[in-house]
Structure formats: C-alpha cells, structure tokens
Amino acid sequence: MALTVEGSSSMPTADGASASDDYCLPEEGDAPAWASLMRPCMGHLQQIKPAGVMACVSRLAEKATVTAVSVWLHCGLHYQPRAPVDPVCTPPVAGNMPPLSQPEKGCCFFPLRRDESGVVCWEVRVFRASPTGELRAAAGRWVIELVHLPNRGDPLQFCAASETDAGEWYRQLRMRAAPMELIWTRHVGVARGGGGDGDGVCPAPGKPAAARRLPVMDALTRGASHLVATGALEGVVGVAEFVTDVTQTEASNLAAAAGPMVGVALQSVCFAARVCAAAHRVFEAAAQASADVDGLHGVCRRLLVALKDVRDDADVGAAELHHLLSRLLADVEAAAGELHHLVRSRRQRAWLACSASCRGVELDSALGDRLSQSRQKADGLLQELLSALQRQTAVDTGHILAAVGPEAQLAAASRAGWRGLPRLPDEDSIFNDWGDPTLPPARLYDAVMQSGASASAVVGAHGMGGVGKTLTCLLVAHKVSLENSGQLRFPDGVHWTQLSHHVTPTDVRAQLCHLTTILSGTPAEANDTEFAIKQLRAVIKDKACLIIVDDVWHKERAVPFTRALADSERSLLLLSSRRVDIIDACSRGRNVRCVKVGERHGVDAEGMLLTHAERGSVVAKDKTVERVRRAVELCGGHPLALAVFGSLVRDRARGSPREGGWVAALDKVGSHRGGLLYQSSGLDLEYGCLSDCLHASYAALGEEDDDRSQWTKRFRALCVVRSKEHLPWPALAALWNPGSMAAVKEIASVFHARSLVSLRGSGPDETLSLSLHDLVIDFLAGVFATDAAGKAACHQSLVEGYCELNGIAAAGEGVSLGRTRVALRPLWLLPRDGYVERALPHLLVAAGAADELDLLLLDMRFIAWRVEMAGGHCGLYRSDCRHAVDVAVLGDVAAVVEGAVATKGRPLSAWLQQAAWEVVTRFGSLLAEGAAEADRLALTYLCESARAYLVSPYIELLGTSRLLVPQEEHVLPACTFMPLLCAGFKESGVLFIVIAYTNVMVPTILKVWDEDSEAGMTKLEDHVEQVECLAVVGGSASGTPQPVIAGAGCALRVWDTERWSCVAVLEGHTKAVLCVMMVGASGRDTPARLVSGSRDGTVRVWDTDRWSAGSVTVLEGHTGPVTCFAVVDNGQCASRVLVASGSHDKTVRVWDLNEGKCVAVLEGHAGLVTSLVVVGGDECGTPAHLVSGSADGTLRVWSDAESWSCVAVLEGHTQSVDQVAVVRSGACGERIWVVSACSSRVAESNALRVWDAKDWSCVALLEGHTGPITCLSVVDDDGFAPPRVVSGSMDQNVRVWDVAAKTCVLVLEGHIYGVTCLAVASGPRRGKPTLVISAALNDKVRVWNLAGRSTQVASARHKERIWSLTAMGGGGRDGAAVRLMSVSRDVVQVWDTDTWSPMAVLSIGDNSLRGIVAVDREGCGVPTHVVMTALDKLKVWDMAGTCVAEWSGHTAEVCDLALVSSADGRAAACVLSASADKTVRVWDVGSGACLDVIHFPDSVQQLAVLDAGESGSPARFAAVIGAFPEFGSHNVQVKCVDQASAGILGGTSRLSFSCIAAVGGLARACAPYLVSASLNGTVSVWDWERTSRLHTFNEPVIWVQCASWWACPPAETGRPSAVLGSGEAAAVNDAAVAGGSAATFEDAAVLVDALGACALVDCRQLTLRWLPAPPNVLSVCCLPGGRMAWGTLTGRVYGGRVSL
C-alpha cells in the first residue's frame, strides 16, 4: 500500500463515513484485534536524530544519525537504545511493558494523549525519505514521524524496515489515538445506551450476563482497595493475581466479557496503578501519586460498571457522561505513561530527587496536579452518573407503576426497602420461634405491626449489653420486609440506620439525607441538620415506612429522626438502646411502646443454647434435658453467655465425638463459679454467669492441641483491644505473629466460633478486622487484674510485632533524657492501617515504654508524622502529649508547631520545614538564654532532631535577632472573615472554643475547637443565615454545663457542649437576633431563663427547662433594635427578677421577668445605647446602679433607689462608648470600678477610662494602645488579687491591666492584624487556669495563659508593619559596614547589619511613602542622604532627619524609586522615579536636577534596574506599566535611560505583576534575569535581553514582594563560605560553589507571599522551593554574602544568612 500521504490523529468526518477507517479500529467481530488493542505492543525501529546538539542552528542539520531502538506503545510511546542486532527493525506485536525493578539509562518517552471531540493532540505521518531532503541519511527508507499539536515542536522520527511494517506501526498509533467515545460507539451500542436484550457492554452470545461479567468484576472487587499499598501486593490473595492477570492475561477476555468500555479504559487505570506500586517501593516521592491513582481506580471502576446502564434520552442524557468519562480516562492514560517513564528512567529519577530537594515538592508538580485534578473530575463525574441513574430509575419506575397493579407496586416497594437492610447471621446461629408470643422478637414485631388507634409513634427495644437488641431488631426488619402483612403495613419499605457511642451530628445529618434520597428518588443534600429534618419530614409525611435506628446512646442523636416523623401518621420509628429513659426522651411527648430484650428463660433459653451448641450439625452424644437445663441455669439466661457456652459444647464435641461435650462444658463452667477468677473477672455482678462461661471457654482454648498455651496466649493478647476498637489484620499479624494472612484468619475464626470475638470482613474477598464486645473487654481486664506485667507484655509484643513486620529496629546506644537511656525506634515509619497511627501512644505507655514515647514526642520526625496523620493540624500530637510524663516543654512545642502549620497556601511538607526551623530557632534561643535545668536535656534533643529534619538551605538568625518561645498556649487556624467567638470549660475541665466566621454573602459556619479532640477544628453547619451573636451562657459555681447560644437570622440555636449537638432551635423573632443573656434560677419555682434581643425591637424570654415550648414571654416596647442586656436583680433577695435592655431608640428599659412587663423607661441619651452593666444590687445589700454607654460619647448612671432616675453623667470620651465593664476588687465593701473604651479611630480614643463607683469620677486613663480598642473583658479569677481587665485593639495587641494599680501588667503580642474580639474562659472552678482567647480578621485565633511566661523580643520594633527594607551600602573607603533601612508608616530605622542592632531612628515616616533609596551625595562611599516619595514629589533627607531638598516635576503620585549606581559601585549616579503621570524621571543625585523624562503609554507602577551601564552603554531598567498597582493588567517594558526601547516582555499579552526583581550578574553589573510575580501565584523567569520567558511556576498563593542579591553593596570581609546547596540539595549557583566567587547568590531571588512565607527561586536551575524564615514576613532585603533581612507585619526586623 502506498502510504505517501500524511495521516493525522484527527477525528472522523462529520458524516461518519468511516468511523473505523479514520482510526483504523477493528471490525466488530474481530476479537483478536480488540484483544491486541488492550495490551501493549512492542517492536524495534531505528530513530533518526540530528548529528549534534547544535544541529538545529548549524549546517549539521543536513546530516543525521540512525540509532537502533526498542519501542513500546502503551499510554504513550516509550523507546530505549539497543544493540543493532538483526532484525534491526520489526513490525509491532502484542507484548508486555519492560519490568520496573530498577532504573535504566537512555529511557525516553513521547506522550500520546488520546484525541477528544474536535481536539487533535498529535499527528502521525508515514512517508519515504527523499535522497535530496533533510533526511538524506535515511534516503529511500520508510519514515514514521510523530509531532505534537498545535505547537508542532521538534518531530520524533523513526525508520521502519518496509512499507508494510511502517503501515502496521501507523495503524497501531492511529488506534491508540482514538477517543474512548469512538471505541464505545464502535462496539455494540455501548455509547448508545443500555437496555435491549443485553447488558449494554458487548454481550457474549450464549452466556448469561452474570456469568460473563463475574470473573472480571470479582477480580476488580478483590484488588481495588489494596492496589497500590506496598504490603498489599505481597501475600494477599487475589491482588497480585488481579494486577498481573486482569491487565495482561485476561485483557483479551475483557472485550468479550465486559466490552471495550471496561477493557480499554480499565487497562490504562490498572497500568497506572502497577507503575505507582513499583514507584512506591523505589522512592517515597510517588506516594501521593499512588494515592491519587488508587482513588482513580476505585472511582473509575464504579463509573465503568454503572455507565453501561445509562441510556441517552431527554430525561437522563448519557452522551455528555460518555464524553466526560472519555476525557477523564485519556488524562489517566497520559499520566500512567508519564509515571512509568518516571520510574524506569534513571535520569528522570535523578531529576525528581534533585527537584524535590530544591523545590520542596513530592512529585513533578504538573503531573501531580493532573493526577489530583483527574481524581476530582472522577469524583464529580461519579456524582453526575449517580444522579443520571436516579433520574432514569425515577422515570422507569413511574412508567412501570403506571402499568401494573397495586400488588406489583407493593412488591417493588418491599424490594427497595430490603436492599438497605444488613444481612442476618447464618441461619444455624439464630434461634427464634415466631410462634412464641413471649419471645422478644415476637413481642417487638407485634408492637411494630400495630395500626390505627393502638399504634405507637415510637417503638423501643431496650436491654443491657450482650442481650441481642440489634439481632432482635434485624429479625423484625427482615420479617416485615418479606411477609405480605408487613408489606401492607409498610408499603414504602423498611430502612435501617446505625448509630453508635461516637456518632457525630454530621453523621446524623448524612443519614437523614440518605433516607430522604431513598424515599423520594431524588438526591438530597443539606448543609445543616434542621434543613435535613425538614426535607425528610416533607417526604415521609404521606408515606408508610418503618425506620429503624439501632444502638442509640444519646437522645440528641435520635431526636432528629423523631422530629422528621412527627407529621407522618402511617410511618413508625423503631429505636434500640441500653436505656429505656433514652427511648422515652426521644418520643417527645408522642405515644411510645418499649419492649425489653433481656435474659432468656425456659424453652427459649434452651433453644438458643442448642442453636449454638449444635451449629454445623454437631450433636454431642452426652446431651440430656437435665444437662441442657443446668447449662441454662449456669448462664443465667444471658444470650451472650448462652452463645459462649454453646460454642464451648460444640468445640468439645468436635474434639471428642465419643465422649460428647456437655459434661465437660458443665464441669468447666461450674468449676469457675464463685472462685477466685470469678471475683476478679472485671465484670459487674449482674454479668456473673457470663463471666463463668467466658472463663470456661478461655480455659478450654486449645485443649486438644499440642500448643494449648499458644491459644491461651493469643486470646490473652487481645487485652490490647479497647472499646469500639477494630484491629485490622496487620495488627493481628503483629500481635500473634502467625506467619501468614491465612493463619491470622484461622486464629480469628476459632475465637469467633467460640463467640469470644466479632469479625468483620472474614469472607474470602474482604478485609479482616476484629473487635471485642465491651463485656469481653471487661472480662480480659479481670484476667489481668493481678498480672500487670503480663498485660504490659502483650502491648509490648504488639509494638514489637509491628516493628518486625515493617523492618524497624532500635537505634544504637540510645538517648538519655536524664532517667534512663532509651533505644529509640523510628516508629514514624510505620504504615497507616487505620489503627496503629491512632493507638501507638497508648500502646507504648501500656507496654512500659513511656520513656520512648517521651523521646518520640521530642523528635521532629515523629512530630511531622503525627501532623501528617492528622491532615495538617496538631490535634493528634496534642493528644499524644497527654500520655507523656514529666516533659514540661511539650505544650510549648505543640504551640510552636501549631503556629507554623495553622496556615494554608503552600504544601504541608513546606510548613513542616517551617515548623522545624522555628523549633530550632525558638528553643535554641531559650537554651542560649538560660532554660530551666530540668528542661535542658529535652530541649537539646528537640533542637538536634529538628535541625536534622531540615533540608538545606535554611536560615540562621544573626546578632540580636531572636525568635523566642511564644506566649500562646494554643494557635488555631486563621479566620477568613470577621470572627465572633466564645469559650468555656466543660464539666471535665476541657477547654472549648466556638468561632463564627461571619460573611454577609454566605451562611455562617460555626467551628469548634475542643482541647480533647484529635480532629482539629470541627464544623457545626446547622445555621442557614449569618450569625450575629454568639455566647456561652449558664454555668455557675456549682459547675453546671454551659450551653452555647448562637443567633442566626431570626432563630437561636442551643448547642450542648458535651456532645456538640443542637438541642433546641428557638424560633419566634421576626428579624435577626443581636444579643442573648442567661438569667439564673431564682428559688425552687423559677427556672433559669434565656433572654434574647432582636432587630425587631422585642425581647423574648425562653424557658431553659423546656426549650421546645417556645418563648415564655414577649416583651414589647422598644422602637429600635435591642443591642444589649444586663441583669439588674436576679431574684435572690426579692420576688422580682429585673433585666435591663438597651436599644437603638436611645432608651433603656427595665423589665420584671416574673410579671412580664416594663417597670421603667430610662431616657436621656442622645445616641443609641451600646452597652449596659450593673453596679451593686447584690447580696451585699448595696443599691443597684445601672450604667449605660452610648454612641453620644457619655455614660449615664441610673439608680434603682432613686426610681431609676439618672444620678450621674460620665463625660470625657469624645466618641461612641462601645465597651463597658465592671471590675470588683473582692469582698463586699471593697472598691468597684467601671472601665469604658471607644472603638473610634481618633487617636485620643485609644485609652481606657476608669471610673470610681463611689463618686463616679474618672480616676485614671489607661494608655498604651496605639489603635482603636475593639473589645474589653474582665478576668474573674481569684488567682489575680488585683482586678484584671483585658483589652484588644486594632494595634494588633492584647493588653492586660491592673485596674487597682492603674498600669498595664502584660502585653500579649502575636497577632498580625487588629484584634476584633476577646473571650475569657474562667477555669479555677474546674482546676484550670483562666485563659484569654483573641481573634483578628484574617488572622489565627490565639489562646493565652495570663500566668504564663512574658516573652520580650530583643530587637527594637516599629509600632507598625515594615513596608520596605533597603540596603545602605557599606564596605567603602572608611570601612563602614553595610547598613539597613527599615521603613514603616511611622519611622525609618537604621540598623547595623554586623550586630543587627538599631543605630538611629529617622522620624520621617509618611503615609504617602511609596519608595525610598539611600544615596551618597558627597562621594564618601557611604550613604549620606535618603530620597523618599511624597505624593507627586521626592524629598531628600539627611541622616539627622532634616529635609534638605525637594525635587518636583511629576504631575501625579510617585509610585516607585530605583537607584542607578556609578561605575565604581559606590557613589550614586542617578535616581529613577516612576509615576502615575505615565513618566519616569531621571534625577541627578548631587544637584537634584531632572536629567530626562521618559514617557510610557500608561501609569508606571514599579521599576527594576537591569544594567547599570558600566561599559559605557546607557543604563537599562524594567518598568511595570498599568493603570493600577498590583492588580489589573500590566506589561513590563525594558528601556534605556536614553529612551531607546529595548522590548516588551510577554509581547502584547497583558499580565498582572505584583512585584519584579533583577537577578544575577554581580560580576558584570548587568542582571541577565528578571523575575516577575503575580497575585494569582504565577512566577516567571525572563531572559529580558531576548524578551523570552524561561520558566513559569504556579503556586496557590498571592505574591507581594520580590528581592535579589543583584546590586547588593559589595562586602569586603566576613562573607560566609556556606552556599545554598550541598549533599542532596542542588546549589543555587554551581559555578559560584566551584570557584568560590563573590557571586554565590547571584542567580537567586527571594519571594514573599501574602501569608508572610518566603520562597527561593533559582533562575539558573529554574527551581522554586519554600524557604523557612521568620513568620509573618512583609518585606525582604538581600545583603552581601548570602545574608538577608526580613521586616514583619508585627513591626519586627530580623537578620540572618543562608546556611547549610
């Protein structure tokens, strides 16, 4: 065939004339061809490549070489040089990919992504090489040429042996470019939808559908969950077989068995998984990729199986689903090929290792991003598919039900209800007689089946543990589903849901939505539980179904189901619980009927016993009626005891069939009754009979075996299991060391047969896990009651078994922490299995290895592992720390790590590097400055481990720069929006914090941080509107619980702080709720009440004993929103209960809650009332005074004794009084003060005023804040004898004041933005210190202990954030050192960079400052003046702070300044100024004359000098041009000072540049690179002379500043020898390292993002890596010798250097 015409991988023509010819796809019946398409093909070719690396630009382009290569086609084209042996070229044949065991040289890869509809990704053409063309070396040969589209880069060319071979290669390439959609369309109607006679996936004639699909689908099911785990590929039945056979041997069967849709697509996914599995064994960098592919496999498997059932019609629409799935699988296939190349290629692996160390990434970022995006697409597509199937099902059901009668509808409904029920146990293990009405199942069934007037709304099954409540409910559920009477009673099905002791509100909400989806046929979702209840209530109202909620431990979790069924007259709720009072409480006043499931008696008990004793047709010969009855008596009728005894009989009978098992079992159980073991069984007396049976079964383990002691030992080893824990099979293998997975299953099955354990996943295709009933756990505790050493040995054995299985050994001689030397094992290398990562600290303590745990908690590798296990927070590590003994610094360690990782933006690995660096720096400073002797050993080891964890390069702080241990006890993640918060202590003494992130655009989400939780922040999503008030209410000296009240819109929600469930929704207000307050109980007849105020002007009173009763009283009278409350009289000394409310209507109203009326209206304020407090009126007998603060700037004092008249007006504030607090000095008769503050931005409002309650005079001004005071709280703690007040301010600080001494006693620094809210958690009544919690907009939440350390930073600080840092030269003729200018809005400070101490302060700060440079106007070699912007002018200042000159000429604001140095690098030649008037002016430094004006087409926002012009050429600079700074569209123009244009970077495209910097060229005074960064996270490296972009990085951050070492003043001495890379980390400048030149850092730039993190960009190596640095950086400056300076958002300046 003459293949002289080019062929391309394009789509078929629109008329579809040749769908198969266009891509050379096989014919329908060509099974071998389809099988071949599903496997790799391989062969030999000769590659044509240029003769030299510069061939593209030289005459060598006419010459070429031909090299023999091996070629594989699978998920791309892979080729590798080979020896030129015959045959040199071969046609493609089906084969396998090369092994992945070790990397090889010369591996190359050419991506071949499948085409999409309308998009051609690459083309292939075949032609004969011409003797006169470019390929003369291959003249006359047949050439196969591949080229990517649309950029048509360098082609890849091969020679084939003949025209026929070339045609076959062409055909294989074309088939593998075919879109999946086309393949599916081509083969038996797959893309045209299911239905018809087949199953929609290419049915094989003559075989039933189930038989055709089972071999393949079973293999998929066996292997999917373990596909890429390292251990799962070895020794697990079915997995290795799946990986090899399904993707290779069975590939040919997939087309026939499941159709090409499954076959072609799945082979790509499986191939990717195999590659990742190999990659995981080679290096850890592919772990995330493995996880992504693993997830993709599971999702795609479900997609491929389900998509066959979707048809394409108006109601469903499968065409779009096919298209989306086609694109997804093309992405997966491309990624699989790339991963394979990554693992095989030695060069690619070396590149990965290098780039990983340089950039701080785990895999090629582009590939990793594509894998993650594919996983997200797969998840989204799965949801679309499920929705389509549900729509299709709903349509079909409607059609069917319209055509059939009621009986068929009933059967369909019952089958739908049946699908959701758990399976019953094996029939031979269940005893039940439905004909006996006394048995619990029959009684429960009777209660459920009642209808009409006798029916109950709620039916409950209750009984103690182990009596079979779940089994009883399950028997009833299956009977109702199967029998006609049950189907008629509940035609809408039976639906099962399982609760447990640890179920969360989120789980309940999900179950409600699931029930709604099942019953309605429409997918249901809800952001809060209330909405989920309403959805289910609306759906179930007219239905008749049975809802079973099993294992209810807390009424709050079951109440949502009761509420959802409140309007349904025909549906019924069945609950099971250990406690009958919980079931009664869940009824919520409705008719409830409870059935007790308890001990069995008589024939019932005998039948249950015999069921277990004779299971499997094992009948003991010595069975008699008397012996059976004696056994029932010994078991006390307890079902679990009967099961254990029966299992014991059966085991004896099987072991000794001639003797039987009843006599031996009776003797065994009876011998333990009343004995010593019974007394120490660990079980309550009510379970004594069960204890006897368990003892007997335990003692009989392995009696017939030679290794009886081994069986006993194995069961005793299960003492490591705690309540509700499930031990996976790796844990069981570590605990028992049986040698194989099969042995593990055998041992577990033996214990299960004796009813001693519960198993999950014990089937041949399931994952095994083991758990114990709580009563068995108690029994084992009794076994070890006198053998603590034995129990510890079991825990030790489990840990050692894990280590042995994973090749973990103890390290060397060990480490000493002062008590003993500890041989530390690297337990952070343990793989995750769902158990060990959570249980490890408990296991170590229980094993007697508490010292090792202490050491692990001080090891940065272990800390990082715990943070990774928890998903990026410190909850798990803090939980671990509670197991530690006598390691006082762990709380501080957790706070440091918490502060470092509680920010998003960069990868977790980079944040962990930051955490390690802060640990080294902060605790190193503590060691250097005198840590407590008891802590020194621990701190030394901590710092050493953290330093070893760091990947070089990193920063060493210099001079007086210090990062000290923070004052905070906890640091929580940043608030995205304006926060509200409240905090308190639970009854157990556990701190909790509730934060509301308010945003007017979306409903508020409450986030809860619980000190005891390992989950970090959890969400309470039951609010559908914005939360405007949040408070902890209640609680008293008696320690009663404190609920949290949140006002969202018109409703209040009451949250139980013990279980974080919504216990009530209070509805009644017609507008948003603004304030709430709890009024305590007064006497026996008046309960505590909640008072709420709203924008609707009403005050509502709620009964806290009966939340559901609605508001008790509505108090009306205000004509504006109610803003604040105060309790005037709580009724302790009188019959009245008085509450005052303030409003926007400028009045205060006093209400008597008992009478429900207003007793006084207080008028006088000229502005709205903002705050209320009460002075006096307590048990001391003093008259009550009400103090109100107002927007009119005054406080008014109203006296109860004077009929609520105004007795004083407190004046002094000039702005609105927004914060008022009362401070009492102690006992009755002591002084009382009122403290008030304004939140106005007027400077004189930044002081607190203190008023003496004796004469209402102002006795003090508490000054110190430099910003508006936004919040005020009182510390009510007897530990502080002088009264304390805490204030938060927009100056970023929290201050603690001693009101009696009228001084500030503590400044809490750490926030980077203004503090907006405070909360005080009073802990002394619960044995905890009083804590202050503060929050700020876009900042972290911080928890402070007022009794903790006071941290002072050595370096002086600015009062405001550091906007810029500028080097001031140095190393001049007078030997002066390099100096640094730090600039904030208030001052300019000068620093000595040798000592990093402040030298001078220039008070020349100005809000109009946009740029600053230091210049030498006197030629002395050191800066003598400073040039700064001042609106549209430039001002020149001398070092004494005097303005000596003003340069004018610009007509709009000056945006930036740049300095062009003279040839000697010392004196300044000129200053460039950029302006919004679209010009750059050139100024002579000495005279101040304007030398030139350079015009631009738009405003000039930034400047960067690129070439100082030392060679006689004019200086060149880059200018960012755009209408707005930092955002909008910009371009960068390069110009000469003489105005000759040098080019525009990026051509005509408009980008957004937030900062630019010139990089490199120290020796030449000409920077070869320009780095630009954008707000969208893009970083570009430019060769500005050629106007070409060398590389682009994309990070999910906002870049705000960029700096480099180019144009740094030269340093004469003291340059460190360290460079930016060593060992495995690549050096930033290899030439500098080798030559030791002064240009060590010339090719590097430093970037700062909006979160204050730093990154290092190497322009030569084209890498970006995150650089650990001081936190909260805003500005950066590079100094000679690899030194750097950082200015922070908190006004600090730090100096350091890049070090190894």
Side-chain angles (χ1 to χ4, degrees), residues 1176-1221:
D1178 50 21
E1179 62 274 7
C1180 297
T1182 58
H1185 290 85
L1186 181 65
V1187 182
S1188 57
S1190 170
D1192 62 13
T1194 68
L1195 295 93
R1196 287 180 173 264
V1197 183
W1198 317 84
S1199 174
D1200 182 13
E1202 302 291 335
S1203 300
W1204 296 113
S1205 61
C1206 180
V1207 297
V1209 179
L1210 312 183
E1211 299 178 324
H1213 289 291
T1214 59
Q1215 304 293 322
S1216 173
V1217 180
D1218 302 305
Q1219 315 290 334
V1220 181

Side-chain angles (χ1 to χ4, degrees), residues 36 125 327 777 954:
S36 176
R125 67 188 187 108
R327 293 181 59 185
I777 292 175
Y954 55 86

Side-chain angles (χ1 to χ4, degrees), residues 135-388:
L135 301 178
R136 281 175 284 181
R141 303 281 301 277
W142 283 94
V143 177
I144 306 163
E145 181 179 85
L146 297 161
V147 63
H148 285 136
L149 300 176
N151 57 356
R152 304 191 68 86
D154 295 336
L156 180 64
Q157 298 170 327
F158 298 99
C159 286
S162 65
E163 179 182 3
T164 303
D165 286 1
E168 184 59 26
W169 279 105
Y170 171 84
R171 190 177 72 84
Q172 286 290 341
L173 287 163
R174 298 288 294 121
M175 285 194 297
R176 294 166 197 272
M180 290 291 183
E181 289 176 281
L182 185 60
I183 296 176
W184 299 338
T185 304
R186 179 82 181 97
H187 211 280
V188 191
V190 172
R192 296 187 293 273
D197 296 330
D199 65 355
V201 283
C202 184
K207 294 183 181 180
R212 291 194 301 275
R213 289 176 44 218
L214 275 178
V216 176
M217 292 299 104
D218 284 351
L220 293 176
T221 303
R222 288 198 302 272
S225 61
H226 302 286
L227 198 55
V228 298
T230 304
L233 291 174
E234 300 173 4
V236 180
V237 176
V239 175
E241 168 194 336
F242 166 71
V243 173
T244 58
D245 291 350
V246 171
T247 58
Q248 295 177 12
T249 306
E250 300 240 351
S252 59
N253 297 327
L254 282 169
M261 178 179 70
V262 176
V264 177
L266 196 59
Q267 54 89 17
S268 301
V269 182
C270 295
F271 176 64
R274 282 212 327 281
V275 172
C276 279
H280 191 78
R281 293 195 296 269
V282 177
F283 52 93
E284 296 180 358
Q288 183 59 47
S290 296
D292 286 329
V293 174
D294 189 27
L296 273 170
H297 182 274
V299 175
C300 289
R301 179 172 59 86
R302 286 178 285 168
L303 285 170
L304 294 165
V305 173
L307 190 58
K308 68 181 181 58
D309 294 322
V310 181
R311 65 174 181 271
D312 193 16
D313 57 29
D315 297 304
V316 181
E320 180 63 19
L321 294 176
H322 281 90
H323 175 66
L324 293 174
L325 183 57
S326 174
R327 293 181 59 185
L328 169 64
L329 292 170
D331 292 339
V332 176
E333 197 173 49
E338 210 166 329
L339 279 168
H340 186 277
H341 176 58
L342 179 65
V343 177
R344 282 197 64 223
S345 171
R346 181 179 298 179
R347 171 198 248 172
Q348 286 298 104
R349 190 176 305 177
W351 172 87
L352 176 67
C354 176
S355 62
S357 62
C358 292
R359 299 188 302 171
V361 299
E362 295 182 352
L363 196 68
D364 176 9
S365 58
L367 176 58
D369 290 345
R370 291 202 303 275
L371 281 172
S372 297
Q373 290 169 5
S374 296
R375 173 63 191 276
Q376 294 171 5
K377 290 178 183 177
D379 289 336
L381 183 54
L382 181 60
Q383 295 303 316
E384 291 287 337
L385 177 60
L386 293 177
S387 298

Side-chain angles (χ1 to χ4, degrees), residues 1013-1034:
S1013 174
E1014 298 177 359
M1017 302 284 282
T1018 56
K1019 293 181 180 180
L1020 304 179
E1021 299 179 337
D1022 278 11
H1023 296 281
V1024 294
E1025 297 185 54
Q1026 182 182 0
V1027 172
E1028 297 194 50
C1029 68
L1030 185 66
V1032 176
V1033 297

